[in-house]
Amino acid sequence: MNLQQLVRKNVWNMKPYSSARNEFKGEASVFLDANENPLNDKYNRYPDPLQWALKEKIANVKGTVPEKMFLGNGSDEPIDFVIRIFCEPRIDNIVAIDPTYGMYQVCANVNDVEYRKVLLDENFDLDAQRLLDKTDNNTKLIYLCSPNNPTGNLLNREEIKKVLDTFQGIVVIDEAYIDFASETSWINELDKYPNLIVFQTFSKAWGLAAVRLGMAFASIEIIGLFNKIKYPYNVNILTQEYVSAELDKLEMRKEWVRELLKGRDFLKQELSNLPFVEKIYPTDANFILVKVTDANGLYKQLADKGVIVRNRNSISLCAGCLRVTVGTEEENKTLLKVLNTFGIKDEKTSIIYRP
Ligand SMILES: *Cc1c(COP(=O)(O)O)cnc(C)c1O
């Protein structure tokens, strides 16, 4: 792989913005270089543009080094950045699995980059060859998501390997749900695959969706490109400090995951007893994709009772499916209580719901 050939010329040749905090690093007692107001305390100074202290802590948890990590405003930021770094609008293209997380296509559209979808198989699994067949000389990126959203399953590891070994461009693996999965992260394979970028997030297992912190892991060279195009102070100090403190709760996070996995087993068991549930798909995430006899009807009935799930009925390969997040023990029981008030299905049409 030749990185320079993959990167957009303007990005490769540009100079990044040089901030005051970039130009002077080190100890000093008087800072008159950034036009800050010195009269307020605590949050009056610009934060560390590269968040080194926080990255150091995350690196310890993830078993990597800060130089191979980019932090962004949620995963949304690196999802957009890989396109802006590698894809020339109206010329280059992206190949992605279908169904998958909707943000990849949204960002491709915003950047005016062609987005090619390759259907997963009937088990929502990946066929590397079919994916590779969709690529051409202008395919710069392949987007994978494992465990995948909205399907919940891990993609076959051998097929992913085949993609990484064969494709001459960049392969992104979004691991937003990896903490709930039975397999280990692709972060461990970064040294083997210079074309790999792994996304993770604090929004799911860490329970920090509101603070907006996403991670991208890749080679030092690729991370350098992220840092080149990012807003100078893209992660604010409140987020940096808050997540830094949350990282000390590693044991708590593990306990949460254990509890949510127990809740997932409980929900799978109970849902399988319902007459209008046709199929429960295997899941390695904190949600369950469920096929029911009348997804739109059931969605509405649930919403009327104040229980909101995600209706995935109109998504590729997901006709009739609802996506249910694992909640607290009490929330799970409320969902089941409401579902149990619904009746038996009509033979031909849909469900007859008991009032
Ligand atoms: C929830 C989710 C994310 C998280 O996005 P953030 O911007 O980090 O909150 C990323 N990818 C997938 C596939 C998701 O389902």
Side-chain angles (χ1 to χ4, degrees):
M1 185 195 77
N2 181 335
L3 193 60
Q4 183 175 355
Q5 271 173 19
L6 288 175
V7 176
R8 291 170 70 196
K9 260 205 189 65
N10 62 311
V11 172
W12 188 267
N13 292 330
M14 68 176 260
K15 267 210 187 85
Y17 176 74
S18 183
S19 66
R21 286 299 108 88
N22 275 334
E23 286 179 12
F24 178 84
K25 283 181 216 132
E27 296 297 314
S29 56
V30 181
F31 282 97
L32 304 176
D33 59 346
N35 300 345
E36 298 146 335
N37 175 351
L39 303 177
N40 194 11
D41 56 4
K42 204 155 159 77
Y43 295 121
N44 58 331
R45 300 291 180 181
Y46 281 103
D48 175 5
L50 291 170
Q51 314 98 22
W52 287 116
L54 177 57
K55 281 180 181 166
E56 199 73 58
K57 270 183 118 166
I58 296 173
N60 279 336
V61 173
K62 303 288 179 189
T64 182
V65 293
E67 291 79 12
K68 295 182 182 171
M69 185 188 316
F70 166 81
L71 297 180
N73 188 332
S75 307
D76 296 331
E77 197 174 356
I79 287 170
D80 185 42
F81 277 10
V82 284
I83 302 176
R84 290 164 65 182
I85 290 168
F86 294 105
C87 300
E88 201 57 45
R90 289 186 286 274
I91 294 172
D92 293 330
N93 67 73
I94 297 167
V95 170
I97 55 171
D98 183 39
T100 193
Y101 189 46
M103 268 308 282
Y104 314 142
Q105 185 167 17
V106 169
C107 288
N109 291 345
V110 168
N111 288 291
D112 205 1
V113 169
E114 185 193 350
Y115 183 85
R116 301 179 175 179
K117 301 177 178 186
V118 178
L119 271 189
L120 294 169
D121 69 17
E122 66 280 5
N123 299 316
F124 297 133
D125 215 337
L126 172 69
D127 181 332
Q129 197 49 54
R130 278 186 44 215
L131 201 71
L132 292 164
D133 286 346
K134 265 276 187 191
T135 64
D136 61 21
N137 287 338
N138 289 319
T139 307
K140 294 293 181 66
L141 283 182
I142 289 180
Y143 265 119
L144 301 175
C145 182
S146 180
N148 192 22
N149 178 9
T151 61
N153 59 304
L154 282 159
L155 301 178
N156 183 301
R157 222 175 166 81
E158 290 308 310
E159 294 297 303
I160 295 181
K161 263 197 193 125
K162 227 184 275 176
V163 174
L164 282 164
D165 283 326
T166 315
F167 182 54
Q168 297 295 305
I170 300 292
V171 179
V172 173
I173 306 178
D174 187 341
E175 295 188 332
Y177 300 98
I178 193 66
D179 295 304
F180 302 102
S182 53
E183 279 182 14
T184 53
S185 168
W186 284 90
I187 288 179
N188 305 319
E189 312 288 325
L190 278 174
D191 291 338
K192 207 161 138 199
Y193 299 107
N195 59 339
L196 172 62
I197 304 177
V198 177
F199 291 166
Q200 291 190 7
T201 178
F202 282 90
S203 296
K204 306 287 154 65
W206 287 92
L208 294 170
V211 307
R212 309 307 301 133
L213 195 69
M215 300 160 267
F217 301 91
S219 70
I220 291 174
E221 291 75 21
I222 291 177
I223 293 303
L225 295 163
F226 278 93
N227 290 336
K228 201 172 177 185
I229 71 161
K230 78 185 191 72
Y231 293 161
Y233 306 104
N234 61 324
V235 178
N236 72 71
I237 193 70
L238 299 175
T239 293
Q240 290 187 44
E241 287 178 352
Y242 197 83
V243 173
S244 188
E246 289 285 299
L247 279 161
D248 297 333
K249 296 188 187 168
L250 190 56
E251 283 313 308
M252 174 75 89
R253 197 221 73 208
K254 287 182 182 160
E255 181 55 38
W256 287 335
V257 169
R258 274 195 291 274
E259 187 173 334
L260 292 172
L261 292 184
K262 254 201 280 176
R264 186 175 78 187
D265 286 343
F266 169 76
L267 274 182
K268 279 204 291 201
Q269 181 59 42
E270 296 293 315
L271 288 169
S272 68
N273 294 329
L274 295 168
F276 44 84
V277 169
E278 292 182 347
K279 180 160 185 173
I280 295 168
Y281 290 94
T283 174
D284 265 279
N286 65 332
F287 59 84
I288 306 171
L289 191 72
V290 192
K291 189 169 189 176
V292 296
T293 46
D294 176 11
N296 291 341
L298 193 58
Y299 174 82
K300 197 174 169 313
Q301 295 273 327
L302 278 169
D304 287 346
K305 302 256 160 112
V307 177
I308 313 302
V309 297
R310 198 81 196 266
N311 187 356
R312 301 285 76 182
N313 185 44
S314 57
I315 303 288
S316 310
L317 304 178
C318 296
C321 288
L322 300 177
R323 193 193 69 190
V324 183
T325 308
V326 178
T328 63
E329 195 177 345
E330 195 164 323
E331 288 170 331
N332 298 338
K333 283 186 174 151
T334 303
L335 166 75
L336 291 164
K337 211 165 96 189
V338 174
L339 285 172
N340 272 307
T341 65
F342 300 153
I344 309 300
K345 68 181 161 188
D346 178 89
E347 285 301 301
K348 282 216 295 290
T349 57
S350 52
I351 309 162
I352 301 169
Y353 298 112
R354 265 188 250 119

